[in-house]
Amino acid sequence: MEDIMIELKKNVSEKRYIHILGVIDSADELAEKFSVSKERARLAAIFHDYAKGMSKKNMLEFSKANKLDFDDIEYGNKELMHGKIARHIAQNNYNVNDNDVLNAIEFHTTGRKKMSELEKLICLADYIEKNRDYPGVDKIRNLVDIDYNLALYTAFNGTIIHLIEENKIVHTRTVEARNYLLSILNEKGVCV
């Protein structure tokens, strides 16, 4: 993994690299709660923002050259394209073949319905890593100890509200992920 970290540092800004280190730390801490392998969590955390430093033009060129398929909401949106590109890089440049790790990398921004525990872990680690500072982050961090599904549900609610307030499109996967988590919480009798 040391080689990956060296290449990663070359491909992202110092600020993004610090964020990724924070996500790795959060993923380590959450791995026990999620009953997920720390090694798999760390691998997904390392790659989750690997492509975030690419320009929109480079993302589009990379996607075309590698025949990556994006839906209408993702295409041209750096915030949504970087996960699928990072998945491709992890799989094709670093021989990461664990489909759950690859899905966690790809869907860490939008989430999706029926997320695996590893997918939830990476998504949540990205929301709550120690360098994050946005309204509601401390609430989400505190909810992790109560129920990590509730923490992620709350995080998705915040994202959806933020995107609506910014007059931005909310990806349908995010709405599906939020609703999926709500159904889990309802089944468990967790008050939301």
Side-chain angles (χ1 to χ4, degrees):
M1 285 210 205
E2 191 175 315
D3 292 345
I4 298 170
M5 295 303 290
I6 291 167
E7 284 303 308
L8 175 64
K9 195 165 187 172
K10 292 179 192 174
N11 289 302
V12 297
S13 69
E14 183 65 23
K15 183 178 178 183
R16 181 62 47 192
Y17 187 73
I18 290 168
H19 162 69
I20 293 169
L21 293 177
V23 174
I24 293 167
D25 289 345
S26 289
D28 279 348
E29 291 173 20
L30 293 172
E32 259 181 61
K33 291 182 189 302
F34 285 74
S35 299
V36 170
S37 149
K38 274 191 178 185
E39 291 77 23
R40 294 171 74 228
R42 286 178 71 81
L43 189 59
I46 288 167
F47 279 107
H48 87 282
D49 273 357
Y50 194 96
K52 194 85 180 231
M54 294 174 78
S55 69
K56 181 177 175 179
K57 180 182 178 210
N58 286 348
M59 283 186 175
L60 292 170
E61 288 172 356
F62 182 92
S63 299
K64 185 176 181 182
N66 292 284
K67 297 180 175 71
L68 299 183
D69 189 31
F70 293 96
D71 64 33
D72 292 341
I73 299 171
E74 293 169 319
Y75 187 78
N77 184 328
K78 279 185 59 164
E79 294 301 314
L80 300 179
M81 291 178 69
H82 76 276
K84 188 173 283 191
I85 293 170
R87 176 193 183 117
H88 180 86
I89 291 168
Q91 187 170 21
N92 293 284
N93 295 15
Y94 294 95
N95 298 314
V96 176
N97 293 311
D98 182 326
N99 204 47
D100 198 20
V101 170
L102 295 170
N103 285 338
I105 295 166
E106 179 174 353
F107 299 111
H108 77 274
T109 301
T110 61
R112 65 182 184 147
K113 63 182 172 185
K114 299 186 180 175
M115 296 170 75
S116 71
E117 297 305 296
L118 178 60
E119 289 176 76
K120 291 178 195 175
L121 181 153
I122 296 302
C123 198
L124 191 53
D126 191 26
Y127 272 110
I128 66 168
E129 65 94 359
K130 64 186 173 198
N131 301 297
R132 290 286 201 194
D133 183 24
Y134 58 87
V137 70
D138 288 330
K139 178 182 179 183
I140 296 166
R141 288 177 181 136
N142 291 333
L143 288 172
V144 170
D145 292 328
I146 297 167
D147 187 295
Y148 62 83
N149 288 299
L150 179 59
L152 191 52
Y153 166 81
T154 303
F156 281 138
N157 279 345
T159 294
I160 291 167
I161 290 167
H162 173 74
L163 291 171
I164 289 169
E165 288 173 346
E166 295 287 317
N167 288 315
K168 293 183 178 176
I169 294 173
V170 178
H171 200 287
T172 51
R173 279 196 306 263
T174 305
V175 175
E176 290 171 346
R178 180 250 182 218
N179 291 343
Y180 170 67
L181 291 165
L182 181 58
S183 68
I184 290 172
L185 295 168
N186 287 337
E187 284 176 21
K188 291 167 65 175
V190 175
C191 294
V192 293

